[in-house]
Each structure stands twice: as structure tokens, then as C-alpha cells.
Amino acid sequence: MLPLFGIQLAWRLAIASWRCPFHYIRCAQGRVRSISSRVRRTLHGSSDDIGWLQQTPGMAPVEDGTARFLELLECIRNGEHTLPDSFVYLLIPGLFSNHGPLYFVATKKFFSKKGLACHIAKIHSEASVEHNAWELKQYIEELYWGSGKRVMLLGHSKGGVDAAAALSMYWSDLKDKVAGLALVQSPYGGTPVASDILREGQIADRETRRIMEFLICKLIKGDIRALEDLTYEKRKEFIMNHKLPEEIPLISFHSEASVAPGVLATMTHIAHAELPWLPLPNFGGEESDNSAQAGRQVPVVIPVSAAMAVCALHLQLRYGEKSDGLVTCRDAEVPGSVVVRPNQKLDHAWMVYSSWKKNPTEPDPCEMCEALLTQLVEIGKSEQGKKGVGSSSTSNSTT
């Protein structure tokens, strides 16, 4: 029995010695495959997702309204303001707008000086799309019942996505209260920036998500879904489940950021810093309260345009796509909308923040917003005219 036992033990040891290397080889092969898959997924990025709205069958075509927009913009710059006061104008800010005190402020003042009822929606910009859709629904109803006027919506960036979600989800409650929607530089189809940051299965995906959760959830007290809802995966799911109503007048505005070297020196005015210990002296004599208060405000400027230029160059080199720095032009075009494509090079923040150095020969964001809303009013009137003609012809044929 002893020799037999020795043979069996030797055989088992031999098998175990063979199994151990094979096990390590299999583990190594699996690890290599996993790493190569992550590398491929990281390098591929959002190549198949950009412009998916135009590639999906059944999506309504867009109409080019750039020429009419430029005509209206020229009229406004010449002093012809035709925007009616029969509507309430609601400006809807985008992601991280709660941390930019001057977001849409100049546009609101511009409209208010012309006697128009204009409001900036007070929503939590770092909340999810569905949460803000519910908030906007209530906000619109309050404005409508308080004024008796229908509401014109203009949403920038994620604000346009939030507004579109409100109309898609609560159209039965809002159809008599909303007159139109202009989406300005909005990632309606998604944005490669959000998808490339939060894509699962790529290199360092868990670490990147933990960093973003810390920045958004812990640092600025927001919701990670605010960024996650702008990924292609989430936008495809939402749009397929919640279609925009066909009867609502829509405008999609998108632009291309400049990547010229001169943009790197452009500073953007985003806020005022209160410095009560540095009052400006009044050289005209007696110091007034207003001048003292103005002397305590110091403008806060940061190189937003430079950051947008770097992001736009990255998207152009990696995907070959034109963008405003955060949103590609193709992803900003809403199916069934009138699309405005300005010739002027504008980054993603230009429409809501003023540049430190303004060019008087070019239109400013306030004038562009007025032109967009004026065009939106025209589209609404033309669609009402078509409905009126259609209903009259139907009644005549019935008679």
C-alpha cells in the first residue's frame, strides 16, 4: 500500500503543479482582455453617439431659420423692437448657474427696460432633468395664473433640456399656457463631455465617477443625475419615452466656439465681489450712498472662453465635430424645430455672461435673445394661421 500511496501523492502533486500555471495564465489572459476592452472603449468614446438624432428613423426634419434670424437681429440693432408684451418671457438657466450670479441677469434687465415681463426661473440647476421639469411646470403655471398671459420659454444649455422635458411630460397641463420654446446651445441629444466622463467600462471609470460625485454632491450640494441625464444613454432613453409635442413652436440655436489663439486672453464677467473695506473715493465732492455702494463692488472675471476653446479644440481633434466647447452642433438640433446657425463664433458661455471687452460692432447676447424670441413669436403666429386655414377648409368641405 505504501508504494501505491506514494504514486498517488506524486500524481496529485504533478497535476496541481500543472494546474497552478494554467490558472495564472487564464487570469492573466482575462486581465489583458479586460484592459484592452477598456482601452478600446475609452479611445472609441462617443464616436457612434454624436448626431444620433439625425440618424434615427422617424425623427422629424429641421428647418433652417438662420436667414430670418439675421434679418430680425439687424432690425433690433437698428432700433426696431417688435417683441410683444402679450407674453411672459421665462429664461431658464443651465447647469451650475446657481454659482454664477450674473447668469442671464443682463438679458432680464434688457427686457425689463423695454416693459416686458421677464423672469429667470429659480430652479436648482444641479438637480436631475425630471426634478427640474416638475419645478418648471409649477413655475409656468404660477406665471400664467398670475398674469393671465401665456409663457415664452428660452432655455440655455441644460435649461433647454429641462424645459423640453417639462413640455414632454406635462403637455396636457401646459398646452394652453406655453406659447413656444427656444433651446439655446442645449444638449438635447446629449453631450460627449458628460458621456466621456461617466461612461462605464472605460479606463478609471469608477475613480472618475467618485471624483464627480464628490464635486457635484459634496462640494456644491447637487445631484450627480444632473450630469448623468446629459449623457447619450440617458438622453436616448428619455427622448424615446417622452416625445416633444408637435404643435409647440420650437427653435434650436447652436454655435461654434473660436479656437483662435486670441481667445485665450478673453475674460468673462461672471459675478461681483463685495469688498466693503475698499470704497472708491468720490472726487466730485460729497460722497453719495450709491457711489459708495458701487465702489465696494469688484467685478469677478475668469477665462471661460479660453476653457471653452480648449474643449472645442479637443472635440474637433478627437471626433471631428464642431461645437461651442460643450455641446456639438448636431446634438443641439431638436427634431422638428427651426434651427438657427449664426456665423459669429460663440462659445457656450457667451449667451449668458458678458465679455469683459465688448465689441460694439457685433450684437450682444441680449439682442440675440430678443431676436430668437421675436422669431419664435413669428413661428407661433404662422402655425396658428395654418391651423386656422386647415380648420376652415375642413368645415367648408363638411358643409
Side-chain angles (χ1 to χ4, degrees):
M1 293 296 294
L2 199 58
L4 182 60
F5 176 77
I7 293 172
Q8 290 177 347
L9 181 60
W11 177 252
R12 288 175 184 172
L13 288 174
I15 293 176
S17 64
W18 278 100
R19 282 178 179 174
C20 188
F22 280 125
H23 174 71
Y24 283 118
I25 290 173
R26 288 196 199 97
C27 290
Q29 288 177 340
R31 193 169 183 82
V32 168
R33 282 195 296 267
S34 175
I35 293 174
S36 63
S37 174
R38 286 178 176 273
V39 170
R40 285 196 303 268
R41 190 168 176 80
T42 303
L43 294 176
H44 193 69
S46 302
S47 300
D48 296 335
D49 296 318
I50 297 175
W52 70 272
L53 285 169
Q54 290 81 20
Q55 302 167 5
T56 303
M59 291 291 180
V62 299
E63 178 185 346
D64 189 4
T66 307
R68 180 55 183 161
F69 168 79
L70 294 176
E71 291 175 4
L72 292 171
L73 186 60
E74 185 64 26
C75 292
I76 289 170
R77 289 182 59 78
N78 292 330
E80 300 178 21
H81 304 279
T82 59
L83 197 61
D85 60 357
S86 55
F87 300 102
V88 176
Y89 300 95
L90 182 61
L91 308 176
I92 305 158
L95 192 62
F96 306 132
S97 60
N98 292 341
H99 306 279
L102 297 183
Y103 204 110
F104 266 143
V105 170
T107 305
K108 181 182 182 300
K109 290 180 178 178
F110 179 80
F111 282 10
S112 298
K113 286 181 180 179
K114 300 188 179 306
L116 301 173
C118 183
H119 301 268
I120 299 176
K122 292 178 173 57
I123 58 174
H124 189 9
S125 62
E126 289 82 50
S128 66
V129 169
E130 292 188 2
H131 175 82
N132 281 348
W134 171 252
E135 294 287 335
L136 283 173
K137 184 247 185 190
Q138 294 179 310
Y139 207 97
I140 292 168
E141 289 178 333
E142 288 179 6
L143 290 176
Y144 176 78
W145 294 118
S147 65
K149 301 176 182 179
R150 290 196 298 164
V151 183
M152 278 283 185
L153 307 176
L154 188 147
H156 176 255
S157 190
K158 180 177 177 288
V161 176
D162 293 338
L167 298 181
S168 302
M169 299 173 69
Y170 307 109
W171 182 240
S172 59
D173 298 320
L174 299 176
K175 62 181 179 181
D176 297 325
K177 304 176 181 68
V178 176
L181 169 62
L183 297 97
V184 179
Q185 299 170 318
S186 295
Y188 185 76
T191 168
V193 176
S195 292
D196 290 349
I197 291 174
L198 297 179
R199 181 176 294 106
E200 293 182 0
Q202 63 182 1
I203 296 175
D205 54 350
R206 295 177 182 176
E207 293 78 6
T208 305
R209 187 177 184 89
R210 279 198 291 266
I211 292 172
M212 295 309 299
E213 286 177 349
F214 171 76
L215 293 175
I216 296 177
C217 303
K218 302 294 184 182
L219 201 61
I220 62 178
K221 308 301 181 184
D223 189 343
I224 189 63
R225 290 180 298 174
L227 183 63
E228 197 172 34
D229 286 346
L230 302 181
T231 61
Y232 289 111
E233 181 183 359
K234 292 294 183 180
R235 290 307 299 157
K236 289 177 183 179
E237 179 183 350
F238 186 89
I239 291 173
M240 291 305 177
N241 294 329
H242 303 282
K243 298 285 187 180
L244 266 172
E246 297 179 357
E247 57 267 34
I248 184 73
L250 292 172
I251 285 182
S252 302
F253 176 97
H254 63 73
S255 60
E256 180 184 354
S258 174
V259 294
V263 179
L264 300 178
T266 304
M267 304 299 286
T268 303
H269 186 193
I270 65 165
H272 288 297
E274 295 290 339
L275 300 176
W277 59 89
L278 290 175
L280 292 180
N282 186 0
F283 298 101
E286 196 175 317
E287 184 178 329
S288 65
D289 293 339
N290 292 335
S291 63
Q293 183 66 23
R296 298 187 185 106
Q297 286 189 348
V298 177
V300 177
V301 293
I302 60 175
V304 175
S305 297
M308 293 296 107
V310 171
C311 291
L313 183 61
H314 164 73
L315 294 177
Q316 184 176 344
L317 294 176
R318 183 176 185 184
Y319 297 116
E321 293 288 337
K322 297 178 180 180
S323 72
D324 57 20
L326 296 180
V327 181
T328 66
C329 295
R330 290 200 290 164
D331 292 325
E333 295 189 358
V334 182
S337 67
V338 174
V339 179
V340 174
R341 310 176 179 99
N343 299 324
Q344 190 176 348
K345 298 285 187 178
L346 308 174
D347 61 58
H348 192 76
W350 187 89
M351 287 292 288
V352 291
Y353 292 119
S354 59
S355 299
W356 185 238
K357 293 182 179 180
K358 296 181 181 180
N359 188 350
T361 62
E362 295 181 351
D364 60 24
C366 305
E367 294 169 337
M368 283 206 171
C369 288
E370 182 181 358
L372 285 172
L373 289 171
T374 304
Q375 187 174 8
L376 192 60
V377 172
E378 287 187 355
I379 295 171
K381 288 181 179 179
S382 68
E383 290 187 1
Q384 285 182 353
K386 291 178 183 178
K387 289 179 182 178
V389 172
S391 60
S392 62
S393 61
T394 303
S395 60
N396 291 335
S397 62
T398 306
T399 305

